[in-house]
Amino acid sequence: MSMLAAVLLSCNSNKSAKGSDADDESDVMEVKLKTYSYEQTAKHTEARITIDFPVGGDEELRQAIYDNILSFWQGEDPDDDPIPDFSDDGQGLVDYFGGITWNNLQEGWESWDEDDESDIVLDDNSSYKKLLETDRFITFLYETDGFYGGDGFGKRQGVTFLKDDGRKLTNDMLLKNPRSEKVLQLIRDKIRQENCEGAEAYVEEEIVDGIDKLPEAPLYLTADGVGFNYAQYEVYWSEFSGVIPLEKIEKYLTDEAVELFYTEE
């Protein structure tokens, strides 16, 4: 957060990072997290899940985070059974989804028909971890990647919760104009910088130029600015992720969003 504070102070000398106003303490929702993990491996299969799980604090914020965790693993059960209530059992939750993942991998391996299978490993790795927490918001990052065959898969998605009321931050709350061409251009420039330049270039320029809408997943707050994630196949066969520096995107943020980072002295 010291880096974030330095950026904010350099952007606007008459403002300072929030977190020092004691009068706001009573309006802040706090949450306590505990990390739970599941891991099981065999010669040809590997499954791992790690979750920063809400175990205490404000009940409304805690429930919002729990529901968000479930949303990422919803539909993993091939029998589409209702998910048991694990709101007070973080280890039970990761064991439940870990068991489903492991069974899926085992079934995938049993049906594997490649001729050369000596070095093949089917894997599924997922995590839901706290990325950043201030006295105004808390951001989590969900990441998953794995291989069941084909191109494999990967996904990153961030989500920011506001500590004044527990709401998830939406694009309408964050941006003055969620359809702003200038914001889209900032995203294109970031993707081009990360994927179309230098030795690591693998994306055609016209793919990036053709991006004409924000990601389906909402933007989120990071220590360096505003993050975005395009899911795999949303605009390309691989996912696109990046962070727009705060000094570049601040002018397009709503006053309420700016207040998440600044307070008047």
Side-chain angles (χ1 to χ4, degrees):
M1 286 303 298
S2 59
M3 181 182 297
L4 175 59
V7 171
L8 298 181
L9 289 171
S10 67
C11 291
N12 195 325
S13 60
N14 69 351
K15 295 179 179 181
S16 61
K18 282 200 171 186
S20 59
D21 190 347
D23 292 338
D24 291 336
E25 290 288 334
S26 61
D27 297 328
V28 174
M29 292 181 172
E30 298 294 351
V31 65
K32 181 180 179 181
L33 304 172
K34 183 176 180 180
T35 302
Y36 294 96
S37 299
Y38 170 97
E39 180 174 352
Q40 190 162 346
T41 63
K43 181 178 181 181
H44 293 288
T45 48
E46 298 178 356
R48 296 179 179 86
I49 294 177
T50 302
I51 294 177
D52 285 345
F53 188 85
V55 296
D58 182 88
E59 184 58 33
E60 186 174 354
L61 179 57
R62 183 180 174 222
Q63 186 65 46
I65 295 170
Y66 174 73
D67 291 342
N68 187 241
I69 292 172
L70 292 189
S71 72
F72 288 112
W73 277 272
Q74 194 84 37
E76 289 291 317
D77 190 339
D79 297 325
D80 201 25
D81 292 333
I83 299 175
D85 182 8
F86 291 109
S87 56
D88 294 317
D89 185 6
Q91 190 61 55
L93 181 72
V94 296
D95 288 345
Y96 175 78
F97 286 118
I100 292 173
T101 299
W102 182 252
N103 289 337
N104 290 342
L105 287 167
Q106 293 298 100
E107 291 177 3
W109 177 249
E110 289 174 2
S111 62
W112 191 261
D113 58 2
E114 291 290 322
D115 293 334
D116 181 11
E117 60 183 38
S118 58
D119 297 325
I120 296 296
V121 176
L122 305 187
D123 66 290
D124 194 325
N125 304 282
S126 302
S127 64
Y128 184 94
K129 296 181 179 180
K130 183 179 76 173
L131 180 67
L132 173 66
E133 183 175 8
T134 74
D135 65 337
R136 299 301 177 189
F137 63 86
I138 182 169
T139 296
F140 292 89
L141 185 64
Y142 168 76
E143 296 183 281
T144 184
D145 64 80
F147 177 73
Y148 284 80
D151 294 330
F153 63 90
K155 180 180 180 180
R156 292 164 52 92
Q157 185 172 326
V159 56
T160 296
F161 294 91
L162 305 184
K163 284 191 172 182
D164 59 351
D165 57 13
R167 289 180 300 166
K168 286 192 296 184
L169 186 68
T170 66
N171 292 344
D172 288 336
M173 296 160 62
L174 179 66
L175 301 173
K176 293 177 181 177
N177 179 7
R179 291 167 292 282
S180 169
E181 174 60 29
K182 293 181 179 179
V183 172
L184 271 177
Q185 191 57 50
L186 290 175
I187 290 176
R188 293 190 199 103
D189 291 344
K190 187 64 177 180
I191 293 175
R192 184 176 290 108
Q193 176 187 353
E194 296 291 333
N195 301 284
C196 299
E197 299 177 0
E200 300 301 320
Y202 68 95
V203 178
E204 299 292 336
E205 290 279 354
E206 53 264 31
I207 297 294
V208 181
D209 292 337
I211 295 175
D212 59 359
K213 62 181 179 179
L214 294 177
E216 294 180 6
L219 307 181
Y220 57 97
L221 306 184
T222 79
D224 300 312
V226 175
F228 66 88
N229 301 119
Y230 287 93
Q232 187 177 23
Y233 302 117
E234 189 173 348
V235 294
Y236 195 58
W237 65 265
S238 65
E239 59 96 25
F240 290 140
S241 301
V243 175
I244 307 301
L246 186 62
E247 61 267 24
K248 290 186 177 182
I249 200 172
E250 180 183 358
K251 68 178 72 175
Y252 307 114
L253 302 182
T254 63
D255 292 341
E256 293 77 11
V258 172
E259 281 300 308
L260 293 172
F261 294 103
Y262 298 121
T263 184
E264 298 293 337
E265 292 184 337

